[in-house]
């Protein structure tokens, strides 16, 4: 047995706000680093948590009031120097939500900060965010992951802008639209049209079967 | 604190033998599951192990006598039901070695088993192996990872056969050779030619700078 180990979960919750990629930070209540902004995190409760994913869901909900439909394990950060209390393992997770989910924060439990303009973070939380941003970018290039940052119904222009923000690069419109059928995860919603300043735009949604497929836990 | 948690590392060590993808299993000395074949694994030693990667290196060396130049964190398997001793977290790693590394096993400390023909494994080790195989296949499609299964010098035919084995699909020779310069991680070794049954074949190696780049720990 190894009774002196600290085992926690930390969560990088992403959203797009003002077309900038942002993450949720909470102010720590207790030492170490009391009152500092940090990733939402907490101890695993062996009595309550079915597994680390359930612990991450519980900690995210209790620290921020938020529930994310997409939540996935990122990487486990470990060692004797990352936490002043002793040898620790943080099973880090990342999550994606549409901005509208965040407006429910009447109690001001969290702050939303651009990932490119983070304050100095305690522990190795800066490395955890950097790892999560890299994973999000790598995985977005070949998956429907960015759809989770969009509202339930969206135009193809909004979809393209979301990919551009996450990948950090402009995409050619004709190439983007040619690739969409290959990816095969969005579908037009019958009779759903948004009237805009210009011509009406067809609305799309993530296919329900593909939405489920993204909950890829272990294997 | 959470003093009741069990924190271990388990290692899936891959090799290609007879052009079949195989993994190393060791016979467990102690309960639970004493004498059963399982992945090499063990407790983290907070006093000795700098981090989980160092623990994986130590455990692999102590259980099998092997050192792998490529060793990377895979996924952390957690929960209250996977280990009869209690709530546990296994920070699983995977490693790749050329077959020649394994012939040093004079003490018969491990067995080599095809990943497609595993015996019944204790804990969730079957799921850990399946996850590692999937990661290896996914990552091989766009990286130099399979080179670690080859000897230091290899022909392009051997390189293609290795990719074919891991990806589980035959590759068109002309397409494969056209893609190699894009990937840009192998280089011809000057004056290194292997005389074979047919015509002489140029020998290649993984570029030293790319070999280092593959040790991608957290960010």
């Amino acid at each position: 047995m190894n009774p002196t180990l600290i085992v926690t979960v930390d969560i990088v919750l992403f959203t797009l706000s003002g077309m900038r990629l942002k993450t949720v930070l909470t102010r720590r209540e207790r030492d170490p680093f009391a009152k500092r902004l940090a990733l939402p995190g907490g101890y695993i409760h062996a009595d309550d948590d079915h597994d680390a994913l359930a612990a991450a869901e519980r900690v995210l909900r209790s620290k921020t009031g938020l529930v994310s439909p997409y939540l996935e394990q990122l990487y486990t950060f470990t060692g004797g120097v990352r936490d002043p209390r002793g040898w620790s393992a943080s099973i880090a997770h990342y999550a994606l939500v549409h901005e509208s989910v965040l407006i429910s924060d009447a109690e001001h439990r969290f702050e939303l900060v651009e990932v490119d303009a983070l304050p100095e973070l305690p522990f190795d939380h800066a490395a955890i965010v950097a790892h999560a941003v890299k994973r999000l970018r790598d995985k977005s290039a070949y998956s429907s992951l960015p759809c989770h940052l969009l509202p339930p119904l969206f135009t193809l222009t909004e979809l393209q802008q979301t990919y551009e923000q996450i990948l950090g690069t402009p995409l050619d419109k004709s190439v983007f639209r040619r690739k969409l059928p290959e990816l095969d995860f969005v579908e037009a919603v019958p009779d759903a049209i948004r009237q805009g300043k210009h011509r009406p735009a067809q609305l799309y949604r993530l296919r329900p079967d593909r939405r489920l497929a993204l909950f890829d836990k272990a294997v």
Side-chain angles (χ1 to χ4, degrees), chain A residues 12 19 59 80 83 107 130 144 162 167 191-192 210 212:
Chain A
V12 182
M19 272 297 150
V59 166
D83 187 317
E107 301 164 50
S144 61
T162 300
L167 299 176
D191 301 325
R210 302 304 294 262
L212 281 169

Side-chain angles (χ1 to χ4, degrees), chain A residues 5-71:
Chain A
L5 301 193
I6 297 162
V7 186
T8 61
V9 289
D10 287 305
I11 301 103
V12 182
L13 178 64
F14 289 117
T15 197
L16 270 184
S17 174
M19 272 297 150
R20 307 288 296 175
L21 188 62
K22 297 183 180 179
T23 193
V24 162
L25 300 177
T26 52
R27 214 162 278 283
R28 288 180 60 80
E29 292 174 11
R30 280 187 278 272
D31 273 325
F33 308 112
K35 300 187 180 165
R36 290 269 298 278
L37 280 175
L39 293 174
Y43 287 113
I44 282 180
H45 294 172
D47 294 339
D48 301 329
D49 298 325
H50 177 70
D51 55 17
L53 189 68
E57 287 169 350
R58 176 184 55 75
V59 166
L60 184 63
R61 200 170 51 244
S62 71
K63 298 265 171 166
T64 68
L66 299 171
V67 175
S68 173
Y70 188 91
L71 180 65

Side-chain angles (χ1 to χ4, degrees), chain A residues 151-171:
Chain A
L153 300 184
F154 46 83
T155 65
L156 289 185
T157 300
E158 288 169 337
L159 183 64
Q160 180 176 340
Q161 287 170 341
T162 300
Y163 274 87
E164 288 174 336
Q165 277 304 312
I166 293 175
L167 299 176
T169 182
L171 301 170

Side-chain angles (χ1 to χ4, degrees), chain A residues 25-213:
Chain A
L25 300 177
T26 52
R27 214 162 278 283
R28 288 180 60 80
E29 292 174 11
R30 280 187 278 272
D31 273 325
F33 308 112
K35 300 187 180 165
R36 290 269 298 278
L37 280 175
L39 293 174
Y43 287 113
I44 282 180
H45 294 172
D47 294 339
D48 301 329
D49 298 325
H50 177 70
D51 55 17
L53 189 68
E57 287 169 350
R58 176 184 55 75
V59 166
L60 184 63
R61 200 170 51 244
S62 71
K63 298 265 171 166
T64 68
L66 299 171
V67 175
S68 173
Y70 188 91
L71 180 65
E72 189 191 10
Q73 190 185 114
L74 172 66
Y75 192 86
T76 300
F77 293 78
T78 59
V81 296
R82 57 177 301 281
D83 187 317
R85 289 167 290 187
W87 211 100
S88 68
S90 166
I91 307 173
H93 290 68
Y94 72 111
L96 283 78
V97 292
H98 179 242
E99 191 183 2
S100 64
V101 173
L102 305 181
I103 58 173
S104 63
D105 184 32
E107 301 164 50
H108 301 293
R109 289 196 275 185
F110 57 80
E111 295 192 20
L112 206 54
V113 182
E114 281 187 35
V115 297
D116 294 331
L118 293 174
E120 198 187 329
L121 297 178
F123 308 104
D124 50 2
H125 285 188
I128 295 177
V129 174
H131 198 100
V133 170
K134 182 174 186 305
R135 172 78 62 89
L136 177 62
R137 292 200 163 128
D138 288 351
K139 200 160 178 170
S140 292
Y142 58 92
S143 83
S144 61
L145 197 55
C147 291
H148 293 274
L149 295 167
L150 284 160
L153 300 184
F154 46 83
T155 65
L156 289 185
T157 300
E158 288 169 337
L159 183 64
Q160 180 176 340
Q161 287 170 341
T162 300
Y163 274 87
E164 288 174 336
Q165 277 304 312
I166 293 175
L167 299 176
T169 182
L171 301 170
D172 181 80
K173 180 173 169 178
S174 61
V175 172
F176 183 77
R177 301 220 168 178
R178 213 162 51 232
K179 288 217 165 200
L180 272 183
E182 283 176 38
L183 296 174
D184 190 32
F185 52 73
V186 298
E187 61 186 10
V189 181
D191 301 325
I193 305 288
R194 184 185 297 160
Q195 302 297 338
K197 281 175 293 193
H198 312 293
R199 50 185 179 173
Q202 171 68 47
L203 291 173
Y204 290 77
R205 68 182 166 208
L206 184 56
R207 282 174 47 192
D209 52 332
R210 302 304 294 262
R211 187 178 288 268
L212 281 169

